[in-house]
Amino acid sequence: MRLALASFVGLAAVSPAAAQTITLKPLAEARMRYEFVDQDGVAANADAATVRVRAGVSATSGKWSMLVEGQGNLALSDDYFDGLNYKAGYPLVADPQNAALYRAQIQYRTEAIVVTAGRQRIALDDERFVGGVGFRQNGQTFDAVRAEISPVAKLKIDAAYARSVRTIWGVDGTGARPQAIDGDDLFGNVAYATPLGTITTFGYLVDEDEAQVQGFRLSSQTYGLRLAGAHPAGKARLSYALSFARQSDFHRNPNRYSADYYLVDLGIELRRAKVGAGYEVLGADGGTALTSFQTPFATGFKFQGWADKFLTTPPDGVRDLYGSAGYSLKTLGPLSAVNVQAAYHRFDSDRVVRRYGDEIDLLASAKVRRTLVSLRYADYRAKAFGADTQKLWLQLDWAI
């Protein structure tokens, strides 16, 4: 950090004008959450009450900026298994107590190029492959160098090299749930905006160096194509996303496999209402563990249901057929950004015909001044995978 600060001051001093116009901006946000989990086969229910605080400052001078931000998570009620506290008699709620450096980065920004170095958030496309795991109290960040280049209109090249991934397990992380996963990870996107939508080609090379994390079996190479767009259709608005990718083993992965990924997602928005449907497949190879399509750096909570049953893809893969409906209001009395949503998921295997289960997800949220209040519920009904699980969240989010 001393080196980064010295670099920033030195770069700002290159221009006398820049040296006189260093703009400081405070960063502060807080989240309080209660999470309840009732899972068949686990002796007790989880009652997790946690408070997460992030605070820091950014400094900007001309095209250069620097950001430092810390993060802390405190358990007010610890009747839950946080993944590290040995309370395996409770269901898992992956929010261990933590106090750590969250981000520390230096950035150079122009209209044509943005280069960011240091500990940073990286969220690519819909975060299906690389994301910040924003729902968990301890977010995921990357010790990385990233370049976002726009050489001509409508074209964007995004390339990143990550030496370490700072996980949601925090400073006490160990073993298969480590504080950080070192490696040589490469993330590349090339996106071009067309009248039909944005076409993105991508390649993600995951090269994990931690033997305790599945014995290198999450190291993979993934290459794919994505189309995403939205267009008016009369008084409605139609949105769509189509994606295909192929994944295979990489570097020290002892498995030899290849598996495919498919996504078809459609949505229609009419005034305040929105409905959507989709089909997502994370394919399998031969049915051996960790030879199905894996996304270890994804924001997994956004996909395949909020009960988190498929964060690690089963050996036989998973097919998710889903539908959703929502309604929103800009204001309702003292409330703003009012939103209600419901979604249904049907989960099946990709190989060896098997019904995994079904899930219903419900959400109601609204803002009261600067505070976002949300109530969320997930109900997973197992058929041939996992166990019946009900989860309930009450959450308050505040930011300056």
Side-chain angles (χ1 to χ4, degrees):
M1 285 307 305
R2 283 196 293 264
L3 176 60
L5 180 59
S7 300
F8 177 77
V9 173
L11 290 165
V14 169
S15 166
Q20 296 172 5
T21 56
I22 297 178
T23 302
L24 299 178
K25 179 183 177 180
L27 306 171
E29 62 175 90
R31 173 192 287 168
M32 177 179 290
R33 180 161 68 212
Y34 169 73
E35 181 169 345
F36 169 83
V37 183
D38 180 359
Q39 180 176 318
D40 280 8
V42 181
N45 296 333
D47 287 285
T50 55
V51 177
R52 197 272 313 281
V53 176
R54 290 177 183 159
V57 64
S58 67
T60 303
S61 179
K63 299 173 182 178
W64 293 91
S65 66
M66 179 181 175
L67 182 152
V68 179
E69 185 178 25
Q71 171 180 267
N73 183 50
L74 175 66
L76 303 179
S77 170
D78 61 354
D79 292 334
Y80 68 99
F81 176 45
D82 67 10
L84 305 172
N85 62 4
Y86 304 106
K87 294 186 177 183
Y90 293 96
L92 174 66
V93 177
D95 291 325
Q97 295 197 103
N98 181 43
L101 179 67
Y102 179 56
R103 290 189 291 168
Q105 66 183 51
I106 186 168
Q107 186 178 90
Y108 175 80
R109 176 183 291 272
T110 69
E111 289 187 3
I113 185 170
V114 179
V115 179
T116 309
R119 186 163 300 173
Q120 58 188 281
R121 278 195 300 250
I122 300 179
L124 301 178
D125 293 324
D126 58 355
E127 300 188 65
R128 192 49 176 119
F129 300 98
V130 179
V133 194
F135 183 76
R136 297 270 49 112
Q137 298 288 55
N138 302 310
Q140 176 174 269
T141 54
F142 299 81
D143 291 343
V145 177
R146 181 185 185 189
E148 301 166 79
I149 305 169
S150 302
V152 297
K154 301 182 180 180
L155 177 66
K156 181 180 178 181
I157 302 169
D158 193 329
Y161 165 75
R163 185 65 187 88
S164 180
V165 182
R166 317 302 293 191
T167 76
I168 64 171
W169 305 112
V171 293
D172 294 325
T174 185
R177 297 185 173 110
Q179 172 184 354
I181 302 173
D182 292 338
D184 294 291
D185 305 310
L186 296 173
F187 312 134
N189 273 15
V190 179
Y192 187 75
T194 73
L196 187 61
T198 299
I199 299 174
T200 305
T201 61
F202 54 84
Y204 305 124
L205 305 183
V206 175
D207 178 20
E208 297 192 354
D209 285 345
E210 306 295 335
Q212 290 180 302
V213 182
Q214 304 292 359
F216 311 117
R217 288 175 174 82
L218 293 177
S219 293
S220 64
Q221 50 186 329
T222 303
Y223 304 96
L225 183 69
R226 173 182 169 86
L227 170 66
H231 294 277
K235 294 183 178 181
R237 184 172 179 81
L238 174 67
S239 61
Y240 48 87
L242 307 171
S243 187
F244 169 78
R246 187 162 183 81
Q247 183 180 97
S248 59
D249 53 277
F250 184 63
H251 203 198
R252 286 187 286 181
N253 191 331
N255 288 332
R256 295 293 176 263
Y257 77 99
S258 61
D260 294 335
Y261 170 86
Y262 306 89
L263 171 70
V264 178
D265 184 273
L266 301 173
I268 300 175
E269 188 172 354
L270 179 60
R271 296 181 179 175
R272 301 182 182 93
K274 184 175 182 179
V275 295
Y279 187 57
E280 185 182 44
V281 178
L282 279 73
D285 189 338
T288 302
L290 300 177
T291 62
S292 49
F293 200 103
Q294 304 293 331
T295 59
F297 298 152
T299 298
F301 186 81
K302 294 177 64 176
F303 304 91
Q304 298 182 337
W306 297 335
D308 283 346
K309 293 300 179 181
F310 301 97
L311 296 180
T312 299
T313 308
D316 289 326
V318 59
R319 298 185 179 190
D320 177 13
L321 178 65
Y322 60 88
S324 63
Y327 190 82
S328 61
L329 292 169
K330 289 186 178 179
T331 59
L332 181 63
L335 307 177
S336 62
V338 178
N339 182 38
V340 292
Q341 295 179 23
Y344 166 78
H345 296 261
R346 172 185 167 131
F347 300 111
D348 297 278
S349 62
D350 180 52
R351 65 178 298 275
V352 185
V353 179
R354 190 161 76 254
R355 179 82 169 273
Y356 284 153
D358 303 270
E359 182 170 327
I360 294 174
D361 297 322
L362 304 173
L363 170 67
S365 65
K367 292 191 77 173
V368 182
R369 297 183 180 179
R370 289 184 177 273
T371 302
L372 176 65
V373 183
S374 59
L375 180 65
R376 194 183 299 256
Y377 175 74
D379 185 359
Y380 176 77
R381 297 294 179 176
K383 302 290 185 182
F385 183 86
D388 288 357
T389 302
Q390 292 80 47
K391 294 188 177 186
L392 177 71
W393 299 266
L394 175 61
Q395 182 170 309
L396 307 177
D397 286 280
W398 175 89
I400 63 171

